[in-house]
Amino acid sequence: MSTAAPPGDWRRLHPRTVLVTALVVAGVVAGAAIPVTLGLTRWFSLPVAVLQVLGGAVLVIGIAGGADRVRWHRTRYRIGQEHVDLHTGLLLVKRRSLARSRIRTVDLTANLMLRLLGLVTVRIGTGEQGADSTLELDPVTRAEGERLRRLLLERAATAPPGVHREGELAVLDPRWIRYAPVSFVAPMLGGAAAGAVMQVSEWVGAQGEVIDWVGDRFRDTPLLWMIIALVLAALVAGVVGALGLWIEMWWNYRLEREAGGTLRVRRGLFTSRSISVEEARLRGVDLVEPLGVRLLGAARLDAITTGLAKDHEAKNADHNTLLPVVPRTRADSVAADVLREADTPTGAALTPHPRAARGRRLRWSLAAVLGPVLILTLLGALLTPVLLWIALGCAVASVPVAVVLALDAYRGLGHALSGRYLVTRSGTVRRSTAALERAGVIGWTVKQSAFQRRAGLLSITATTAAGGGAYTVHDADATEGLTFAAEAVPGLLEPFLERSPKDA
């Protein structure tokens, strides 16, 4: 804990935080008012129910605003020469401090309400995991947030050497939105929309009416066509939702390199986000190609960094995304700019894996789909022939898909060394091409099952403090895989290798 400072060094959060809290709670209360009022009409008349709801709403908003007023009064922060201090709490006083030398992230977030009031939430982190590694100032003015970001991220060190571009590295191209409908988000949103309709109708006691209305629309329609129509309607809703979500998340997107070696991603339509990544923590990039967008020749780019503070962005799976889904060539060029390389490692020619790896993927894939078919077959033999027909249909539909995905997974396997980076690629539904800085590898894990040993294969994992923590070369040739690891990080694996006398 840093020593005490003169009172003038301490600052408070913006007093409009009380207004923000009151408005947010009012919105929540307004959303719950209708179903609560309808529920109360079972016991009271409508005017009485409305008055009760209004009184309860005023009470809830008042309590929330008062509690936040106390929080504002008891919260103060200070940016010292060596530490950032935050004091808050009423009954339980918390005094927390972060060393400025360990601060790695200063991210700014502002939802629509905060933006209208000119405020932002500032999250200051050391890049480590856990709540004690992050301080949150919620809210301060946007000018104060920018001041804190520049002040806490400025570094005396010069930018890393290499071929690179300064300033703007990528900016939003509205044509990228065409990839949103082919992501896995669309069907998920479609299913969520259908579930939301049923849930809300149950809340208001109208679920039976909704089901009857749908039944009336398809009264003279065969069951199969009714199912197809409902699925298509859900998919259309999912596509619309995916487009809206993409616009909200990526509008005003900009990736730029700032002086001193900091990458900054800014994006968001209603909720603006500003995420900063120190290049000193960057250990590589991950080119991610989900199946749908890969079929259209596109990919997104994620950062592989040490100590990326995932806790404060846990609600957003894209907290480490540098570039949304874009054409593959564009993603490769941005990867080269981010890594300060003339040629992108993600585009390096990869060493293919032995044919035995293809057989393993075929066996795994067929086992995954034939297992449920076998269970249905057994149940059909014991219970009803209907299950036998269902098992036959599942087998006819799923086996070709399983074979195609297995062959695609095999074609995607590969690894290589590209300058300062080792590259590994795997996956089919979600193909990942990770370019990891060789200097960031702190260990190797070699695994070889009995089946792999018979096939002359092994899986070797590069352990690192960055990103996911482990990047695996799956089912590589045993000799070639060990040679690859030994060359990638000289001296790390050699003490554990046994060489033949002619190789010594």
Side-chain angles (χ1 to χ4, degrees):
M1 188 69 63
S2 59
T3 59
D9 289 349
W10 292 93
R11 292 174 177 253
R12 292 192 183 277
L13 304 178
H14 200 282
R16 287 180 186 167
T17 179
V18 179
L19 176 61
V20 172
T21 299
L23 291 175
V24 170
V25 173
V28 174
V29 170
I34 295 178
V36 171
T37 302
L38 293 176
L40 289 176
T41 54
R42 299 178 181 178
W43 298 281
F44 305 99
S45 64
L46 181 60
V48 173
V50 170
L51 289 176
Q52 289 178 331
V53 171
L54 287 177
V58 172
L59 179 62
V60 170
I61 295 171
I63 292 175
D68 199 58
R69 177 62 175 79
V70 174
R71 180 186 72 90
W72 171 81
H73 181 74
R74 297 288 297 176
T75 301
R76 53 180 181 161
Y77 66 94
R78 178 185 62 181
I79 310 299
Q81 293 295 324
E82 298 182 358
H83 293 81
V84 178
D85 301 306
L86 176 64
H87 292 183
T88 187
L90 179 59
L91 299 178
L92 179 63
V93 179
K94 295 181 180 180
R95 298 184 178 182
R96 299 174 54 197
S97 180
L98 295 181
R100 288 186 60 174
S101 60
R102 298 181 59 191
I103 291 175
R104 296 293 180 266
T105 61
V106 181
D107 297 338
L108 312 182
T109 305
N111 57 35
L112 182 59
M113 185 67 65
L114 291 178
R115 292 181 65 182
L116 291 175
L117 296 175
L119 306 174
V120 296
T121 297
V122 180
R123 294 183 177 91
I124 304 168
T126 62
E128 301 170 354
Q129 300 300 314
D132 292 338
S133 65
T134 303
L135 299 181
E136 182 174 285
L137 308 179
D138 181 22
V140 297
T141 64
R142 176 166 292 278
E144 173 69 359
E146 290 290 344
R147 184 188 75 86
L148 293 174
R149 194 188 70 84
R150 290 191 300 268
L151 177 64
L152 297 176
L153 290 182
E154 64 181 5
R155 296 289 186 268
T158 58
V163 178
H164 58 275
R165 289 198 299 132
E166 299 290 349
E168 183 182 283
L169 302 183
V171 68
L172 176 70
D173 185 341
R175 292 175 296 179
W176 297 346
I177 196 175
R178 67 183 184 271
Y179 300 116
V182 296
S183 68
F184 294 113
V185 174
M188 292 174 59
L189 290 177
V197 170
M198 300 304 295
Q199 184 64 62
V200 172
S201 63
E202 183 181 5
W203 286 345
V204 299
Q207 190 177 80
E209 288 79 355
V210 171
I211 295 175
D212 292 340
W213 183 86
V214 174
D216 291 340
R217 304 284 80 75
F218 296 96
R219 185 180 302 277
D220 299 325
T221 305
L223 178 62
L224 178 61
W225 288 108
M226 181 184 73
I227 295 175
I228 292 175
L230 293 177
V231 170
L232 289 177
L235 286 177
V236 170
V239 168
V240 173
L243 292 173
L245 183 62
W246 188 95
I247 293 173
E248 150 59 18
M249 293 179 61
W250 296 107
W251 199 252
N252 295 322
Y253 163 81
R254 186 179 302 274
L255 170 64
E256 45 194 3
R257 174 180 283 120
E258 298 181 326
T262 297
L263 296 172
R264 185 183 188 186
V265 178
R266 289 186 285 182
R267 58 185 175 84
L269 178 61
F270 298 118
T271 299
S272 64
R273 303 171 182 87
S274 171
I275 301 173
S276 300
V277 177
E278 269 192 320
E279 288 187 87
R281 296 190 300 117
L282 191 66
R283 294 293 178 266
V285 294
D286 190 3
L287 198 72
V288 182
E289 301 170 275
L291 181 59
V293 300
R294 177 158 55 90
L295 294 176
L296 298 181
R300 80 166 190 265
L301 190 67
D302 292 350
I304 299 177
T305 67
T306 58
L308 187 61
K310 299 179 181 180
D311 53 331
H312 68 266
E313 285 278 331
K315 296 181 181 179
N316 300 316
D318 59 341
H319 60 272
N320 59 344
T321 300
L322 297 176
L323 188 69
V325 175
V326 300
R328 171 64 190 265
T329 53
R330 179 60 174 149
D332 281 331
S333 65
V334 173
D337 288 333
V338 166
L339 298 177
R340 299 176 181 267
E341 297 288 336
D343 299 315
T344 176
T346 56
L350 303 181
T351 301
H353 289 200
R355 294 172 64 89
R358 182 181 65 179
R360 283 173 56 81
R361 270 142 191 80
L362 284 169
R363 289 190 291 272
W364 291 342
S365 188
L366 290 174
V369 299
L370 292 180
V373 170
L374 178 59
I375 294 174
L376 286 174
T377 302
L378 294 175
L379 292 176
L382 296 174
L383 301 177
T384 172
V386 174
L387 293 179
L388 295 177
W389 288 105
I390 295 176
L392 177 61
C394 291
V396 171
S398 60
V399 168
V401 175
V403 171
V404 170
L405 290 178
L407 295 177
D408 181 68
Y410 169 69
R411 285 193 296 268
L413 289 177
H415 62 277
L417 296 179
S418 177
R420 298 185 296 123
Y421 297 89
L422 64 88
V423 184
T424 176
R425 185 177 67 193
S426 62
T428 177
V429 176
R430 180 189 182 276
R431 178 166 295 174
S432 169
T433 304
L436 178 64
E437 192 174 7
R438 295 156 68 176
V441 177
I442 58 178
W444 290 101
T445 301
V446 180
K447 294 183 179 180
Q448 188 178 46
S449 67
F451 298 105
Q452 285 179 309
R453 190 176 302 112
R454 289 171 51 188
L457 305 174
L458 57 75
S459 296
I460 186 164
T461 301
T463 304
T464 178
Y471 295 87
T472 302
V473 178
H474 296 278
D475 288 334
D477 176 80
T479 302
E480 201 281 329
L482 292 175
T483 302
F484 163 78
E487 292 178 357
V489 188
L492 187 59
L493 193 62
E494 276 81 353
F496 305 97
L497 296 179
E498 296 181 0
R499 300 184 182 275
S500 61
K502 63 180 181 179
D503 295 333

